[in-house]
Amino acid sequence: MGRIITLTSDFGCADEFVGVMKGVILGLAPGVRIVDLSHQIAAYDVRQAAFLLGSAHRFFQAGTVHLAVVDPGVGSARRIVLVEAGGQLFLAPDNGLLSLVLIEADAARIWQVDNRELFLAEVSATFHGRDILAPVAARLAGGLEPDRVGPPLAPADLVHLTDLLPMIDRRLGVVVGRIEQVDHFGNLITNISGRLLTEIFGPGLTRLKVSCGGREIRGLSTTFSGVATGAVAALVGGRGYLELAVNQGRADWRLAGRAGVPVSVRKD
Amino acid sequence: MGRIITLTSDFGCADEFVGVMKGVILGLAPGVRIVDLSHQIAAYDVRQAAFLLGSAHRFFQAGTVHLAVVDPGVGSARRIVLVEAGGQLFLAPDNGLLSLVLIEADAARIWQVDNRELFLAEVSATFHGRDILAPVAARLAGGLEPDRVGPPLAPADLVHLTDLLPMIDRRLGVVVGRIEQVDHFGNLITNISGRLLTEIFGPGLTRLKVSCGGREIRGLSTTFSGVATGAVAALVGGRGYLELAVNQGRADWRLAGRAGVPVSVRKD
Amino acid sequence: MGRIITLTSDFGCADEFVGVMKGVILGLAPGVRIVDLSHQIAAYDVRQAAFLLGSAHRFFQAGTVHLAVVDPGVGSARRIVLVEAGGQLFLAPDNGLLSLVLIEADAARIWQVDNRELFLAEVSATFHGRDILAPVAARLAGGLEPDRVGPPLAPADLVHLTDLLPMIDRRLGVVVGRIEQVDHFGNLITNISGRLLTEIFGPGLTRLKVSCGGREIRGLSTTFSGVATGAVAALVGGRGYLELAVNQGRADWRLAGRAGVPVSVRKD
């Protein structure tokens, strides 16, 4: 079996954009298996894609090639980069999309993707996903050595998103993060990881108080159904991050939650 | 070629939920082919999923593993079950999702899925689709014997949805069902199967009268285009159930149709 | 590796329609790889599908089978046709869906699909995508000779969409086309190909003036980011056709753009 290539974009599913990328990939790497992570990233929302890919990649095997393209700067001088981390490969525009992958990686090797021999013969100025990222991903999945894509880069050479991680005030004992994603069920997913909560507050997560939108939730639950139907729960969700949820309801409606709203956690 | 795994859920396509399930599956069963049936089931609408899977599975070959997860009770004590029926396997929470599969099956074998060795090493309390159902589906597709997932159950042990089938008054000669699904084209799909109509009324379906929303349709058509453009048609659709449709229009708008609205059929 | 089958339809993704087509295909041709081009074609919009497929197929390898089903006449006497062009196969209802494929092909062979031995045993009157097109596509991908599907047809036998191509007034030096597609980003994609612009006006595309909705754009850009953020750009996009776009904005909102609105190009 060939390797896996995942696709993440803000292309939506109505146009042919995703389909033609798959046509290009399968033409060059017939045996790969392609998995769509999401094509419903909000248009140009690099940060949303960074969080999605930063957590989703952990469920894929070594050797997987992740192609992510949220690319407001397509056609400008922005670079395309390849990152090797944790045995997986990540291809994306150099706009911060791989920031969380890089933060979480123990070590990473990085290259600029500029070897035109690997691209489609004709490269448009508006669709590098199809003309550059897709063929390069296919060749990498087919066994191309990463260092063939172009010259190495240092982490400091890349564009990094700022304010990705929550602020920690150890003296006051408070962690202040924000909502990053409102999921399909209206759950509010923050940038505060369960690992961070344990690190700061110790293992007793039931003794925490979570504040969001003027509301306080006392104690973390372990499941959506751990509170009454319609009640607000705070819990570490499937992504590994603190979420605010309403059991069989929508936390975004209840808490006026949307990306960017602050969420704080302290001892109760 | 590996077996087919189908996926049905209320996860939507914007989040990474479906993609990471596929990552887990392909990591354990590299050769399987994955088919999405729908991830647009209305949130928590187990009944909608039951009807969709109850008809769709008939178009898949023996050996197919159907993974369905509409799961308002995730993290609670609700069970996960495996059903073998008609040479296919069905994995779902024990909440009635497999009710129609079981009704239509001549015989079924059922097991509770509780063998933790088959799950991901770390099982979250909020995403059993990824942590339990996906790895178990992958192992079954890879040849695991069904009875390895856990102890056998009897049909009576399971949760069953009620009122799935239409009421039949043979004395008055009337069948009363309801709309189960408004499809993408606005067609109103009922729970009254064509087979039932033939059983009750005999083969002459043109001599029937269908009532819905205060409107009567006299005679069943065989095609959408069998009535004038814009006219209402009643016909046995691709799912095998009675549908109300408007030729190149939307029956949901015309008839104020939505899930739950009664539909009755009698001789004209 | 098996051949590629692409799918294009107006079925949406909420119902089981696409999934069961894949079930039928994989049951007959286990090794094929299936790529969704789009299932979000507007209901019954044959013209939209014609343009999408007319450009997307160029990114697939020889031998690919394209199955397209936008089919307001399903169940009526309309034919189903198979076209072989450029080493690829195209299956669709005979309603003009393949008009652009045929216009762009140097040569094409055409057959009527009427060999019932290739269909599902039971053919419904409402879902030929599943019962006819899917099994025929699978058999073709499995190596069935195209002339086995039915008798040959001449191009003139087919239904053709009219007004697909822009009008050209060589005396006045003006090309008048129209918007065909508003894409996910709000870009307005016309039916005026870049190749036509070069043929009519020569290679200096910066010296052109594009008019749409009472607005004039002077000079074609090469990239979305070639104009200021929020400014309107005219450029030949990834599809190979003239597009109107707003750098990191929505041209459909700015220019009140929608399918059918005229767009003209002349020398500046």
Side-chain angles (χ1 to χ4, degrees), chain A residues 60-73:
Chain A
F60 287 84
Q61 64 195 18
T64 297
V65 179
H66 301 281
L67 185 173
V69 51
V70 176
D71 196 9

Side-chain angles (χ1 to χ4, degrees), chain B residues 105-251:
Chain B
D106 293 328
R109 294 198 299 160
I110 310 172
W111 298 268
Q112 181 175 352
V113 178
D114 71 358
N115 180 353
R116 297 184 67 89
E117 289 175 20
L118 308 175
F119 305 169
L120 288 198
E122 201 175 332
V123 173
S124 74
T126 56
F127 195 178
H128 288 180
R130 178 192 67 195
D131 303 334
I132 299 179
L133 291 149
V136 172
R139 296 182 205 280
L140 290 165
L144 182 81
E145 286 301 318
D147 61 10
R148 292 283 310 283
V149 304
L153 295 173
D157 296 332
L158 299 197
V159 173
H160 295 273
L161 297 179
T162 54
D163 303 324
L164 285 177
L165 302 182
M167 288 178 300
I168 300 160
D169 187 325
R170 287 175 191 273
R171 194 173 54 84
L172 293 177
V174 61
V175 173
V176 182
R178 43 169 265 163
I179 296 170
E180 292 297 341
Q181 176 74 14
V182 180
D183 79 10
H184 180 69
F185 298 95
N187 300 328
L188 307 172
I189 309 179
T190 73
N191 62 344
I192 305 171
S193 70
R195 204 170 44 190
L196 178 72
L197 289 178
T198 304
E199 182 192 320
I200 301 290
F201 298 111
L205 298 186
T206 54
R207 298 237 177 129
L208 296 177
K209 196 166 62 181
V210 179
S211 304
C212 175
R215 187 157 189 142
E216 296 206 324
I217 299 103
R218 303 184 67 175
L220 267 63
S221 307
T222 51
T223 70
F224 297 126
S225 51
V227 298
T229 301
V232 179
L235 75 172
V236 177
R239 237 192 212 191
Y241 287 84
L242 180 69
E243 295 182 21
L244 298 166
V246 169
N247 183 11
Q248 296 178 48
R250 292 193 66 97

Side-chain angles (χ1 to χ4, degrees), chain A:
Chain A
M1 277 300 140
R3 293 198 195 182
I4 296 168
I5 294 179
T6 80
L7 303 180
T8 302
S9 79
D10 59 353
F11 291 166
C13 297
D15 301 298
E16 71 272 26
F17 306 143
V18 174
V20 296
M21 285 176 62
K22 293 180 181 173
V24 169
I25 288 170
L26 293 175
L28 292 167
V32 300
R33 293 155 297 154
I34 303 175
V35 174
D36 298 300
L37 287 184
S38 174
H39 299 292
Q40 307 287 354
I41 299 291
Y44 314 128
D45 193 337
V46 173
R47 182 173 176 120
Q48 189 189 19
F51 272 96
L52 188 147
L53 188 58
S55 54
H57 79 272
R58 294 179 286 117
F59 295 93
F60 287 84
Q61 64 195 18
T64 297
V65 179
H66 301 281
L67 185 173
V69 51
V70 176
D71 196 9
V74 62
S76 71
R78 69 93 188 84
R79 292 184 288 210
I80 293 173
V81 291
L82 171 64
V83 167
E84 186 184 54
Q88 300 186 337
L89 294 168
F90 299 85
L91 263 174
D94 177 23
N95 58 19
L97 205 161
L98 301 179
S99 293
L100 271 161
V101 167
L102 286 165
I103 286 173
E104 297 198 354
D106 293 328
R109 293 200 297 161
I110 310 172
W111 298 267
Q112 180 173 353
V113 178
D114 70 358
N115 180 355
R116 297 184 68 90
E117 289 175 20
L118 308 176
F119 305 169
L120 289 197
E122 202 174 331
V123 173
S124 75
T126 56
F127 195 178
H128 288 180
R130 179 191 67 197
D131 303 334
I132 299 179
L133 291 150
V136 172
R139 295 182 206 280
L140 290 166
L144 182 81
E145 286 301 319
D147 61 9
R148 293 285 309 282
V149 304
L153 294 172
D157 297 331
L158 299 196
V159 173
H160 295 272
L161 297 178
T162 54
D163 303 323
L164 286 178
L165 301 183
M167 288 178 300
I168 301 159
D169 187 325
R170 287 176 191 270
R171 195 174 52 86
L172 293 176
V174 61
V175 172
V176 182
R178 43 170 266 163
I179 297 170
E180 293 297 340
Q181 175 75 13
V182 180
D183 80 10
H184 180 70
F185 298 94
N187 300 328
L188 307 172
I189 309 179
T190 73
N191 62 344
I192 304 172
S193 71
R195 203 171 43 190
L196 178 70
L197 289 178
T198 304
E199 181 192 320
I200 300 290
F201 300 111
L205 299 186
T206 54
R207 299 235 177 131
L208 296 179
K209 196 166 62 179
V210 179
S211 305
C212 174
R215 189 159 187 139
E216 294 207 326
I217 300 103
R218 302 183 68 175
L220 267 63
S221 307
T222 51
T223 70
F224 297 126
S225 50
V227 297
T229 302
V232 179
L235 75 173
V236 176
R239 236 193 212 190
Y241 286 83
L242 180 69
E243 296 182 19
L244 297 167
V246 169
N247 184 9
Q248 296 178 47
R250 294 193 64 97
D252 55 342
W253 298 352
R254 183 75 66 82
L255 302 177
R258 57 187 190 286
V261 168
V263 176
S264 64
V265 185
R266 67 190 74 217
K267 282 242 176 189
D268 195 9

